[in-house]
């Protein structure tokens, strides 16, 4: 089992190998940097939308299915089928969050621990919120 820190490192390495880490946002000027940051966050919401569509299409939230063989994986030893379904989209949400954190120099594992330590103090339904 990997730690969140290890997963964050792997996500960065895989995304770099796949050509997604070609721009160092810190080197961009103001508007370009902000646009890049917003794009990263917007792409997290696209994964949420994909999860919603899975449910709308009748898939159970715990269902993983494999519609097509991945043509680039055949013969490489990599998983030949792309997993689809809500579990896969939840993974994509986490992967994109880890990628953003890695690109921005954020230790996501540390901030998750910090947030959990805070959340435990928030009380029942965070002060009576309905949802
Ligand atoms: Mg997805």
């Amino acid at each position: 089992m990997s730690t969140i820190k290890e997963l964050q490192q792997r996500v960065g390495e895989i995304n770099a190998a796949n050509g997604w880490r070609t721009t160092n946002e810190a080197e961009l000027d103001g508007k370009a940097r902000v646009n890049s940051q917003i794009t990263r966050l917007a792409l997290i919401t696209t994964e949420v939308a994909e999860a919603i569509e899975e449910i709308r299409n009748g898939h159970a939230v715990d269902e993983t299915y494999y519609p097509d063989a991945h043509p680039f994986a055949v013969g490489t030893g990599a998983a030949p089928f792309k997993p689809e379904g809500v579990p896969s989209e939840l993974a994509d949400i986490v992967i994109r969050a880890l990628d953003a954190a890695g690109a921005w120099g954020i230790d996501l594992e540390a901030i998750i621990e910090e947030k959990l330590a805070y959340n435990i103090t928030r009380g029942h339904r965070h002060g009576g919120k309905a949802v």
Side-chain angles (χ1 to χ4, degrees):
M1 180 58 104
S2 301
T3 66
I4 292 170
K5 196 172 298 220
E6 290 166 342
L7 287 173
Q8 185 172 321
Q9 179 69 28
R10 276 181 58 204
V11 166
E13 291 167 358
I14 291 168
N15 285 351
N18 286 338
W20 295 113
R21 287 277 185 100
T22 57
T23 302
N24 181 350
E25 285 179 356
E27 296 174 353
L28 298 174
D29 63 12
K31 186 174 181 184
R33 184 172 54 248
V34 168
N35 285 340
S36 179
Q37 293 166 339
I38 289 171
T39 298
R40 282 185 192 281
L41 294 173
L43 289 171
I44 293 172
T45 71
T46 68
E47 303 299 346
V48 174
E50 289 174 6
I52 291 168
E53 287 301 313
E54 293 289 350
I55 295 169
R56 291 183 71 214
N57 288 330
H59 296 284
V61 292
D62 62 349
E63 177 188 358
T64 298
Y65 61 99
Y66 303 88
D68 299 309
H70 191 296
F72 301 115
V74 175
T76 67
F81 297 101
K82 179 184 179 187
E84 299 278 5
V86 172
S88 179
E89 301 310 335
L90 290 176
D92 285 343
I93 292 164
V94 172
I95 288 166
R96 288 199 182 277
L98 289 169
D99 185 55
W104 297 341
I106 295 168
D107 181 343
L108 198 58
E109 184 172 277
I111 196 66
I112 288 171
E113 292 288 353
E114 188 175 340
K115 286 289 297 194
L116 289 175
Y118 170 72
N119 285 353
I120 203 167
T121 70
R122 297 189 71 186
H124 185 72
R125 291 183 178 262
H126 297 179
K129 291 185 167 62
V131 291

